[in-house]
Amino acid sequence: MEGFILYLLAGLAGLIIQGSVLKVILPFNAVPNLVLILVVFLAFYRNRLDGPFFAFMLGLEYDLFGSHLLLGPNASAAVVVYFVVTSFSKRLFVESSFTLAMVVLVASFLNHAIASVITSQFIPTESLWSVLLRYSPFEAIVSAIVAPLVFKYLKKFLVRADQGRTHDQAWSK
Amino acid sequence: MTQLGVHNPAKVIGYSVLLFFLGLLLSSYSARNPETAQFGNRIVSEVVTPVQSLVDVIDRTISEVFADYFWLVDVKRANIELRARLSALEAENSRLLEYEGENERLRVLMQLANESKVEGVAANIIGYDPSNWVQSITIDKGFEDGVNRGMSVIEGKGVVGHVISSSRKSARVLLVSDHASAIDSIIQRTRSRGILEGLGGRLARLNYVLEKEDVEIGDRIITSGLDGIYPKGLFLGIVSDIDPPARRLFHRIEIQPAVEFLKLENVFVITSKAGIKALEDEVSVERVVEKEKGK
């Protein structure tokens, strides 16, 4: 439960930083998707049964926080991203910044594609795809660039907190 | 690589598929019942607005500090002796300039309110949508200040967007440039009608204007007032590009919106129907005057 709240709070912090700080500071609307990076992190470092649920909740948080007219597209997309990345996680050397950046790049495109396909089924707008083609590469590249740095901090806080709790639980037993 | 738990592929696949379909189900439900998404948005807004306001204050303070710092560097280069005195003055000056700018923007907004008897509230922008492909802003006024869903939001120069959800102390505004935004519009010179749709970023497109209609680059686009959200006659933007005729039914017209969305700091929310009527009356008078001038 604590782990769940920790990830939700990290997601919320990411969304506030994205929407209130980075959007003001960075030019051309080129803002990294910190929640997506968190989902990729989850796929690498929380390879448990509750992983898909955590990813789903992070995606839902994104849907709730944004002014999206639908609830669910990003939640579904986050689950798929989690599943795909976690399937390859054991074969990838995530300590390499380049590999990590590439994984986040691909994950970002995948996330956009799935969320857009779902959105377009329920809210058909002509310009959705042109908007997506214009912004998706920007977001994917920026997310890939910042991912190694974000991973470093997430490892410091989330994994340490997780390990600390596992350690405490083992001792209490 | 750190692996924290035991991997069970079959169960992970099962859970993932289940959650994926749950997401689809939720999308379908919220598409049919938009109030579900708005209710969720409202709850998150209640939690997040104080933090966003705090971040906004910190952001403004840091900007001021940075401005002060750069002023100091300039003064140091110019004259060491005067540095101490100048730094204080420059810091003060920079802060006053910021206040002056803000004052000017608010005066434009309030003047608009006074001149057209429009009732509304001025609001500050405290956040943007976290994603890059949804164009929306969060303002620091909610239903406690009379800001409700469907109200139009303007800035001195033109239309910003409309309120799509409102919580106690904040509201979300869908910008004109968003792909989900569609506004019934008129080309001011020819009175031809079309639908203005956002293209994201700094552009929009005017759809459904018949190719036989006369359109020129530089033509002004205004709201028609027929969509029930925006008052008639508000400035939306100017025609920036037209595709050459190609025996199509409709023109392909690109619009440069009147408002620079990334530079927005304050907006004005029209809160009353009376205000909308007042604006429409004003536009009607303007049209009569224009016609008289034409004669």
Side-chain angles (χ1 to χ4, degrees):
Chain A
M1 188 64 186
E2 276 175 49
F4 175 63
I5 293 170
L6 212 62
Y7 273 94
L8 273 192
L9 285 177
L12 203 62
L15 286 167
I16 291 172
I17 293 170
Q18 248 173 270
S20 295
V21 182
L22 298 179
K23 272 262 165 123
V24 181
I25 299 169
L26 298 174
F28 313 118
N29 258 359
V31 178
N33 189 340
L34 298 176
V35 173
L36 174 89
I37 297 173
L38 195 59
V39 171
V40 174
F41 178 85
L42 202 66
F44 277 117
Y45 291 100
R46 202 180 169 94
N47 206 336
R48 293 180 185 175
L49 282 179
D50 56 9
F53 178 68
F54 278 33
F56 179 84
M57 290 310 288
L58 283 171
L60 194 63
E61 199 173 49
Y62 195 91
D63 282 324
L64 281 168
F65 190 88
S67 57
H68 312 287
L69 305 166
L70 291 176
L71 291 182
N74 283 291
S76 289
V79 173
V80 176
V81 167
Y82 174 87
F83 179 70
V84 171
V85 177
T86 208
S87 307
F88 291 100
S89 65
K90 283 184 177 169
R91 283 170 232 165
L92 294 168
F93 181 59
V94 75
E95 305 304 330
S96 151
S97 298
F98 180 75
T99 313
L100 179 59
M102 287 300 113
V103 171
V104 171
L105 189 82
V106 174
S108 181
F109 280 121
L110 184 67
N111 183 59
H112 264 148
I114 295 164
S116 311
V117 167
I118 297 173
T119 304
S120 64
Q121 299 308 306
F122 300 106
I123 305 177
T125 56
E126 260 185 54
S127 56
L128 175 69
W129 293 104
S130 64
V131 171
L132 193 77
L133 285 174
R134 195 177 301 157
Y135 288 104
S136 184
F138 262 127
E139 191 180 295
I141 291 166
V142 180
S143 300
I145 292 169
V146 303
L149 186 74
V150 178
F151 255 58
K152 201 175 142 187
Y153 283 103
L154 287 176
K155 261 193 277 184
K156 219 176 199 176
F157 296 113
L158 292 179
V159 174
R160 204 172 280 178
D162 249 353
Q163 282 172 340
R165 237 188 351 274
T166 316
H167 185 258
D168 290 346
Q169 281 166 1
W171 273 105
S172 65
K173 280 175 188 172
Chain B
M1 190 171 68
T2 318
Q3 295 288 347
L4 288 177
V6 183
H7 186 92
N8 188 336
K11 279 192 177 174
V12 170
I13 293 172
Y15 281 140
S16 300
V17 170
L18 201 74
L19 287 166
F20 177 76
F21 282 105
L22 183 66
L24 283 184
L25 212 69
L26 207 58
S27 302
S28 169
Y29 184 77
S30 58
R32 284 178 179 220
N33 305 283
E35 64 275 9
T36 318
Q38 281 148 25
F39 179 69
N41 266 326
R42 200 179 294 167
I43 292 172
V44 174
S45 294
E46 292 288 354
V47 178
V48 164
T49 302
V51 186
Q52 274 187 317
S53 301
L54 185 73
V55 170
D56 185 53
V57 169
I58 295 169
D59 185 43
R60 280 168 201 246
T61 313
I62 290 172
S63 303
E64 275 182 22
V65 170
F66 263 89
D68 292 351
Y69 171 75
F70 285 120
W71 275 118
L72 273 169
V73 170
D74 282 347
V75 174
K76 191 178 178 182
R77 280 178 192 162
N79 194 317
I80 297 166
E81 233 177 67
L82 290 173
R83 192 176 58 186
R85 269 177 60 198
L86 269 176
S87 63
L89 285 170
E90 296 284 13
E92 186 65 23
N93 187 33
S94 156
R95 206 164 47 239
L96 286 172
L97 277 173
E98 183 60 27
Y99 288 143
E100 193 191 359
E102 193 174 355
N103 228 336
E104 188 62 37
R105 284 191 298 275
L106 288 172
R107 200 163 46 227
V108 170
L109 291 172
M110 295 316 291
Q111 207 173 2
L112 182 73
N114 291 336
E115 281 171 1
S116 41
K117 299 181 198 78
V118 173
E119 281 178 36
V121 287
N124 287 316
I125 294 164
I126 55 168
Y128 294 83
D129 193 279
S131 73
N132 290 320
W133 48 292
V134 175
Q135 307 282 317
S136 77
I137 53 173
T138 307
I139 56 172
D140 66 348
K141 294 285 188 294
F143 58 71
E144 266 188 2
D145 309 282
V147 173
N148 288 311
R149 191 169 167 248
M151 288 177 171
S152 42
V153 181
I154 56 176
E155 197 246 3
K157 289 174 191 167
V159 179
V160 174
H162 71 278
V163 177
I164 51 168
S165 72
S166 166
S167 64
R168 211 157 44 88
K169 287 190 186 299
S170 68
R172 293 255 164 81
V173 178
L174 190 74
L175 300 179
V176 168
S177 56
D178 187 86
H179 63 83
S181 162
I183 303 172
D184 204 300
S185 325
I186 300 173
I187 300 171
Q188 198 169 29
R189 184 175 58 86
T190 60
R191 316 310 291 179
S192 311
R193 275 182 59 197
I195 302 289
L196 189 91
E197 195 178 274
L199 286 178
R202 280 172 285 180
L203 289 174
R205 186 197 293 146
L206 189 63
N207 292 329
Y208 311 118
V209 177
L210 292 172
E211 204 165 71
K212 65 177 184 182
E213 301 279 1
D214 172 31
V215 189
E216 286 174 10
I217 290 177
D219 273 346
R220 283 167 63 94
I221 310 298
I222 56 169
T223 52
S224 73
L226 295 173
D227 50 24
I229 295 176
Y230 298 98
K232 190 176 179 179
L234 290 179
F235 183 32
L236 283 164
I238 56 166
V239 175
S240 59
D241 194 26
I242 311 163
D243 272 9
R247 292 191 171 194
R248 283 185 299 259
L249 189 57
F250 302 114
H251 275 297
R252 282 187 182 165
I253 305 167
E254 209 171 78
I255 306 295
Q256 182 75 50
V259 177
E260 277 201 61
F261 301 106
L262 286 174
K263 290 182 182 170
L264 278 176
E265 286 182 39
N266 314 102
V267 290
F268 186 77
V269 187
I270 301 173
T271 56
S272 70
K273 290 277 177 196
I276 292 175
K277 183 78 178 63
L279 266 177
E280 286 178 359
D281 290 347
E282 196 174 89
V283 172
S284 309
V285 171
E286 269 176 19
R287 281 193 63 193
V288 172
V289 172
E290 268 175 29
K291 271 187 183 175
E292 288 300 317
K293 275 182 187 171
K295 281 177 188 175

